[in-house]
Amino acid sequence: MSGYVDRDLDADLSRWFPDEPRVEFSEPVRPVEPFLARLPHDAATALAGFDRRVRSGAMADLLDIADWSYGFEFEANDCEILDSDYTTRLSDDDVWSIGCDGGGNYYVVLTDGRVALLFHEEQVIEAHTRYENLDVFLWSVVRHRAVRAGVLGLAAVEEDFRSLGQPGALAPEIGLLAGLSSKKVPRFPVMKASGTRTKERTLAVIVREVDLVGRGSTTTPKPGSGRSQLEGRLPFGPGQLGGELCGIQADGTPA
């Protein structure tokens, strides 16, 4: 899987997402080079290749990549970042954000090269949903979206997902594969909080041991429990779903 970004990403995007809107920034984004210097060689190569594609407009927008989510300056926007022990404080030198999951949570590259989710409600780096590196993360995201779009069959990639053994893909209920495998995940056209219509996106609601017809009950995750029981993925920006914790308005500007 090493080298996927420079070797295969462009071809995959052309094959499955030729008409998907490409990333465009309306505001300047800080340079990635200082963070690259902190990464292992292969991780730096992957992020540098991804960064070139993002800034040049070659990258399909599969991760809510915008100037408020890519290379985001957490400290400058009064965001606290805690490591998975809920004690160790991290800084912008320790993470590089590469996009969002659609629910206000940031995907970040760590200095060891792994990719993790910054769970916005607790401002903590999740420990149980990480990816070994950016190459395998992007391989997974591209195929997840291709299956969702109906241009790739799940059977063609399910065993590959399992053999790669990435926690972010295999985590029960909230992993990428769990969402693809569930028959209880509806597809809805949804509205932005402002009332303006957005393109149809997947509203994935994954409920543990709860039938959508009404049996069972759900509970709100307790502090420190991370994402569990109920996970909603909505097309809202940081100011519309929890981003206000970081002092960001719905349009991505500081509050």
Side-chain angles (χ1 to χ4, degrees):
M1 192 60 64
S2 179
Y4 169 77
V5 171
D6 284 332
R7 183 182 61 246
D8 299 320
L9 178 57
D10 293 340
D12 284 348
L13 295 178
S14 296
R15 175 166 60 249
W16 292 318
F17 305 102
D19 300 320
E20 185 76 13
R22 266 42 185 173
V23 174
E24 293 183 8
F25 292 151
S26 58
E27 298 291 338
V29 174
R30 63 188 175 116
V32 73
E33 284 75 15
F35 188 76
L36 295 179
R38 305 198 67 193
L39 295 175
H41 178 268
D42 287 352
T45 299
L47 181 54
F50 183 66
D51 186 78
R52 287 194 300 272
R53 288 162 175 80
V54 167
R55 293 178 194 269
S56 68
M59 180 64 199
D61 189 6
L62 306 181
L63 290 168
D64 284 340
I65 303 171
D67 46 51
W68 52 260
S69 65
Y70 187 79
F72 183 69
E73 297 181 85
F74 293 96
E75 292 175 291
N77 287 281
D78 298 321
C79 288
E80 182 179 50
I81 310 172
L82 297 177
D83 208 345
S84 56
D85 60 5
Y86 284 83
T87 300
T88 305
R89 296 179 184 275
L90 304 179
S91 72
D92 286 333
D93 292 334
D94 301 311
V95 301
W96 180 270
S97 62
I98 55 175
C100 285
D101 70 347
N105 306 307
Y106 285 81
Y107 288 113
V108 297
V109 178
L110 308 177
T111 53
D112 62 4
R114 288 184 293 174
V115 176
L117 196 80
L118 174 58
F119 181 46
H120 77 273
E121 289 188 8
E122 298 176 5
Q123 297 183 314
V124 66
I125 301 292
E126 286 190 345
H128 62 294
T129 56
R130 300 187 183 190
Y131 292 81
E132 184 178 351
N133 54 57
L134 184 59
D135 282 313
V136 72
F137 170 74
L138 291 172
W139 181 97
S140 302
V141 167
V142 168
R143 279 151 182 78
H144 173 266
R145 288 292 300 271
V147 173
R148 281 279 187 219
V151 295
L152 178 65
L154 176 58
V157 294
E158 184 171 5
E159 284 307 309
D160 291 332
F161 271 113
R162 296 191 185 282
S163 65
L164 287 169
Q166 300 299 303
L170 303 182
E173 304 171 6
I174 58 176
L176 294 183
L177 189 57
L180 293 177
S181 301
S182 174
K183 295 181 180 180
K184 298 180 181 180
V185 180
R187 295 180 62 85
F188 301 119
V190 292
M191 307 292 285
K192 287 186 177 180
S194 63
T196 58
R197 186 172 182 82
T198 185
K199 63 183 181 180
E200 180 178 290
R201 290 176 180 261
T202 298
L203 173 60
V205 181
I206 305 169
V207 185
R208 181 167 59 203
E209 299 175 356
V210 177
D211 195 314
L212 289 181
V213 298
R215 293 180 296 178
S217 62
T218 62
T219 58
T220 301
K222 297 178 181 179
S225 66
R227 297 175 298 145
S228 61
Q229 304 253 350
L230 179 63
E231 174 72 4
R233 299 188 184 279
L234 303 170
F236 299 153
Q240 298 163 313
L241 260 187
E244 64 276 5
L245 295 176
C246 296
I248 309 167
Q249 300 183 87
D251 61 1
T253 60

